[in-house]
């Protein structure tokens, strides 16, 4: 039963014949887990709370940073430095104190995903990385739950509902992750903040439709949105009978190591078999640069693009884009007799570039640990972080 307070609050839902008292009661009894209180999670969380979804889980182990506020509208300036789950829970309580918010201040991984997700009816995937995306998909398949998924990059957004019981799962359509480094994250490539509202609200709407049992859920359809053209295309996607996790004879029957599956740096397995890359800290680099590159012969290379370099950088660094390492052009240009330090934003792309140089036989290559962000934090706080 809905209380008088609830009927008043949700009256504009109750007035819709397809929703009514019964639909609103279903929303009250529903449990939705939003993974990632970031760009997509922000609008999804706020609309799910406003809609009266009775129990909302927020899973995030990150803290709010100033550069999040351009799109992560569930957080405010005073939340910078706080846990995102804590900040989001407080905001949701102010949006709708009648819903219960459950915080999961952990990074969802193979050890905890099944236990956490099992307590919910639907997962809203607001993550920004491939390992967690595959993890959530596989966990939802194994538990038989729907996964309201969204993805954003620059001006492009995608959304679908993966539900192996009724249609394809994420792996049916994207069986293999892209090679690491090929698809930049929003942290590296940027994203139009407003795009989060468009895609995150689709995810929340799909969750609400599934709960109330109305309309045609986005199962077996993939929305592809281009904010610059303001185009919305809908592709039909089908279940793959040979899918590794939801197919007729699955090879994935439990959660695996998704860092390894996606070939991420720092993971065990296939990535670790590649050449190790020596590191240099920002402070060590500052000391080296203070000695003067004429004495050390140090060559400092920045593999980021011009827009990133315009935000923050290290004096004396020469721009040479990661693409030039992939094409082989960089290997030809960089003299072998000079020691090399490579940098990017956080140290991932520069690790890739350094590895290419090392595997090409360069004897003295180091990766700036933590990238230019570490430099800004430890050496030159006058520059902006991003
Ligand atoms: Zn599948």
């Amino acid at each position: 039963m809905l209380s008088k307070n609830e009927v008043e609050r949700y009256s504009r839902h109750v007035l819709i014949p397809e929703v009514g008292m019964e639909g609103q009661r279903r929303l009250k009894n529903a449990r939705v887990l939003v993974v990632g209180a970031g760009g997509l999670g922000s609008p999804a969380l706020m609309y799910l709370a406003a809609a009266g979804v009775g129990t909302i889980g927020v899973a995030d182990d990150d803290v709010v940073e100033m550069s999040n506020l351009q799109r992560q509208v569930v957080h405010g300036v005073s939340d910078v430095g706080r846990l995102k789950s804590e900040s989001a829970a407080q905001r949701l309580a102010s949006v709708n104190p009648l819903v219960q918010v459950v915080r999961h201040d952990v990074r969802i991984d193979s050890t905890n995903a099944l236990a956490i997700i099992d307590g919910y009816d639907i997962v809203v995937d607001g993550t920004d990385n491939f390992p967690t995306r595959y993890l959530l998909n596989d966990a939802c398949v194994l538990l038989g739950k729907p996964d309201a998924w969204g993805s954003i990059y620059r001006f492009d957004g995608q959304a679908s509902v993966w539900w192996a019981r009724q249609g394809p799962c994420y792996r049916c359509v994207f069986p293999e992750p892209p090679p690491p480094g090929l698809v930049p994250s929003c942290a590296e490539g940027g994203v139009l903040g407003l795009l989060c509202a468009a895609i995150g609200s689709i995810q929340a709407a799909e969750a609400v439709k599934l709960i109330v049992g109305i309309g045609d859920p986005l199962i077996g359809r993939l929305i592809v949105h281009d904010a610059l053209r303001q185009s919305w295309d809908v592709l039909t996607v089908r279940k793959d009978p040979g899918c590794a996790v939801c197919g007729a004879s699955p090879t994935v029957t439990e959660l695996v190591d998704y860092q390894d599956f996606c070939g991420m740096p720092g993971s065990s397995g296939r990535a670790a078999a590649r050449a190790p890359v020596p590191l240099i800290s920002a402070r060590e680099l500052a000391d080296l640069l203070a000695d003067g590159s004429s004495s050390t012969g140090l060559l400092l290379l920045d593999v980021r693009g011009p827009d990133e370099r315009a935000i923050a950088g290290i004096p004396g660094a020469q721009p040479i884009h990661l693409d030039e390492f992939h094409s082989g052009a960089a290997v030809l240009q960089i003299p072998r007799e000079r020691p090399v330090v490579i940098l990017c934003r956080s140290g991932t792309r520069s690790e890739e570039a350094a590895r290419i140089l090392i595997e090409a036989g360069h004897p003295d290559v180091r990766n700036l640990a933590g990238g230019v962000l570490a430099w800004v934090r430890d050496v030159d706080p006058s520059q902006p972080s991003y």
Side-chain angles (χ1 to χ4, degrees):
M1 280 293 291
L2 299 178
S3 67
K4 171 176 174 287
N5 196 357
E6 286 168 328
V7 173
E8 281 178 2
R9 173 181 279 266
Y10 305 124
S11 60
R12 298 301 183 276
H13 270 167
V14 173
L15 287 169
I16 307 173
E18 289 83 353
V19 181
M21 288 284 191
E22 171 60 18
Q24 195 61 48
R25 199 186 53 77
R26 289 184 188 181
L27 288 168
K28 180 181 177 178
N29 291 332
R31 302 174 60 87
V32 176
L33 175 68
V34 177
V35 182
L40 295 172
S42 286
L45 283 164
M46 286 198 286
Y47 277 108
L48 290 171
V53 170
T55 305
I56 300 172
V58 189
D60 205 312
D61 70 334
D62 233 350
V63 296
V64 181
E65 295 176 30
M66 192 60 82
S67 64
N68 298 150
L69 303 182
Q70 160 260 19
R71 65 200 178 285
Q72 301 183 13
V73 296
V74 78
H75 313 294
V77 174
S78 61
D79 299 317
V80 170
R82 291 175 83 191
L83 274 172
K84 287 186 179 178
S85 58
E86 181 189 5
S87 161
Q90 186 176 8
R91 180 71 190 277
L92 297 191
S94 73
V95 170
N96 188 352
L98 302 180
V99 303
Q100 188 196 355
V101 179
V102 180
R103 283 170 51 187
H104 302 277
D105 305 341
V106 290
R107 179 161 292 264
I108 295 233
D109 62 23
S110 303
T111 66
N112 59 25
L114 292 174
I116 293 174
I117 293 171
D118 202 27
Y120 294 90
D121 306 315
I122 298 171
V123 170
V124 171
D125 177 358
T127 60
D128 59 355
N129 65 84
F130 287 98
T132 314
R133 201 168 281 164
Y134 279 96
L135 165 71
L136 294 179
N137 176 73
D138 292 1
C140 284
V141 172
L142 295 174
L143 294 169
K145 316 235 177 199
D147 172 12
W149 166 87
S151 163
I152 45 172
Y153 179 68
R154 292 195 170 160
F155 301 107
D156 299 320
Q158 300 182 345
S160 190
V161 173
W162 313 116
W163 196 3
R165 283 186 178 172
Q166 298 197 16
C169 81
Y170 181 71
R171 277 194 198 245
C172 290
V173 181
F174 303 101
E176 290 281 333
L182 187 72
V183 180
S185 67
C186 291
E188 292 164 359
V191 59
L192 182 71
L194 294 153
L195 187 61
C196 303
I199 301 298
S201 63
I202 287 177
Q203 296 174 261
E206 290 306 307
V208 166
K209 282 164 56 187
L210 287 170
I211 293 163
V212 178
I214 50 172
D216 299 320
L218 209 50
I219 298 167
R221 290 181 295 149
L222 174 65
I223 286 189
V224 179
H225 171 49
D226 177 342
L228 284 184
R229 289 173 54 227
Q230 205 56 278
S231 62
W232 295 86
D233 297 315
V234 182
L235 311 178
T236 299
V237 286
R238 292 192 173 82
K239 197 173 182 75
D240 174 7
C243 174
V245 65
C246 81
S249 43
T251 54
V252 178
T253 54
E254 58 185 15
L255 299 181
V256 299
D257 182 335
Y258 292 89
Q259 296 287 332
D260 185 34
F261 174 64
C262 295
M264 303 303 278
S267 62
S268 59
R270 74 186 193 204
R274 304 184 64 188
V277 176
L279 292 169
I280 181 171
S281 74
R283 287 208 176 87
E284 288 172 311
L285 177 61
D287 290 342
L288 268 184
L289 292 175
D291 291 343
S293 59
S294 53
S295 61
T296 60
L298 180 73
L299 194 56
L300 182 59
L301 305 174
D302 187 338
V303 300
R304 301 172 300 156
D307 296 322
E308 286 189 81
R309 283 188 273 111
I311 298 175
I314 301 178
Q318 298 181 26
I320 178 163
H321 198 274
L322 181 60
D323 290 346
E324 295 187 62
F325 287 84
H326 285 301
S327 73
V331 172
L332 299 174
Q333 285 175 40
I334 298 165
R336 292 189 176 216
E337 58 277 11
R338 291 181 68 182
V340 171
V341 170
I342 308 183
L343 72 104
C344 66
R345 174 181 173 272
S346 67
T348 306
R349 283 169 289 169
S350 52
E351 183 186 14
E352 184 71 22
R355 184 171 283 121
I356 289 169
L357 215 50
I358 290 168
E359 288 174 354
H362 198 291
D364 188 356
V365 182
R366 279 176 288 178
N367 179 29
L368 176 59
V372 79
L373 294 181
W375 178 270
V376 170
R377 187 186 65 227
D378 298 336
V379 178
D380 183 8
S382 73
Q383 298 193 74
S385 273
Y386 68 103

